[in-house]
Each structure stands twice: as structure tokens, then as C-alpha cells.
Amino acid sequence: MRPIYHRNSDRVKAHVFLCMLAYYVEWQMRSLLAPMLFDEEDWELAHQQQKSVVKAAKSDRTLAKARTKRTANNLPVHSFQTLLADLGTIAHNEIVGSIEGASWVFDKITQPTIVQQKALDLLGVSLICTQ
């Protein structure tokens, strides 16, 4: 949240709100994308297995992902940043063409890879616009 270059109290509050909102969105995305990330998939179960206050141990499933660098679906495991970078390659293109004086325009979204489609499915996001 630092540095804050605001002097007005309303702007400081808005800045803190946006930072917390961004953190919450990231937390939600990490929890939904956990099967594709190096992150622990089930923190509740991992927490219940701990008997005292000690460093959290990773589950066998998480250790297997880290060792093999593959998910249960045999897809490559990502960090949150690399998965976002991979999703960032999905592009929206406007195609403009003309044939014999008739011109046409349509939108085309790039075909997602298997990894990208799995991430979109886990997030519950569709690339099809129904407006």
C-alpha cells in the first residue's frame, strides 16, 4: 500500500480500498486456480492436520506437483505470475476485409491453449461475448 502520495483523507481511503480490493481479487483467483499453481490446494485440510503452531507442512499432492512440475491432468504447473502472463497472450482482434467493393468487420478472439482454457474454466470465465 506504500507509498501513498495522497493528502486528502478521501483519496487515502480510496487508495487503501483499491489495494485491499486488488488483494482480495488475487486471493480469490489463487484459490480457484490452486490446482494449476504450485500453491497448496486445500489450506483447510492442511491447517486441520497441524496439532500445534509450527510451520505449515505441504500436502503430498502439493509436493508431487512441485516434484513433477505437472498437475493431476498432466498440464504444466505455473506460478501465479506465469499463469497470468500466459493468460495475457489471449488477444481480441478486429478483422477488417473487403471483397469486390463490399467491406466487412468482425471480432475474433484467439483460440486459448489447453492450459489457458483450463484456467478459464476454473475461474468460470467465458471468452464468448453475448452482448
Side-chain angles (χ1 to χ4, degrees):
M1 291 212 290
R2 289 281 182 195
I4 298 176
Y5 298 109
H6 301 294
R7 302 288 182 257
N8 185 326
S9 66
D10 289 339
R11 290 184 180 185
V12 171
K13 289 176 186 176
H15 177 82
V16 171
F17 172 75
L18 289 175
C19 289
M20 293 306 295
L21 182 63
Y23 177 74
Y24 181 73
V25 169
E26 179 183 344
W27 179 76
Q28 284 289 350
M29 288 180 68
R30 280 181 180 271
S31 65
L32 292 172
L33 294 171
M36 299 184 70
L37 303 175
F38 285 108
D39 296 352
E40 182 69 51
E41 290 182 41
D42 192 0
W43 285 107
E44 294 287 328
L45 179 63
H47 179 68
Q48 289 173 359
Q49 292 174 351
Q50 297 294 330
K51 300 294 181 198
S52 62
V53 181
V54 294
K55 183 178 178 182
K58 294 182 179 179
S59 67
D60 294 337
R61 203 163 159 186
T62 302
L63 292 172
K65 279 196 303 187
R67 186 178 60 254
T68 62
K69 309 283 192 277
R70 307 298 277 180
T71 65
N73 299 338
N74 202 26
L75 296 173
V77 180
H78 285 273
S79 70
F80 187 67
Q81 288 77 21
T82 60
L83 186 56
L84 286 182
D86 190 16
L87 288 172
T89 62
I90 297 173
H92 175 251
N93 299 307
E94 184 176 275
I95 311 298
V96 179
S98 62
I99 299 176
E100 299 175 5
S103 63
W104 38 265
V105 177
F106 67 91
D107 295 331
K108 173 72 176 149
I109 298 174
T110 56
Q111 182 72 29
T113 64
I114 295 170
V115 173
Q116 291 170 337
Q117 188 59 54
K118 176 69 175 170
L120 293 171
D121 291 342
L122 288 172
L123 291 172
V125 175
S126 174
L127 294 180
I128 298 171
C129 184
T130 58
Q131 294 183 18

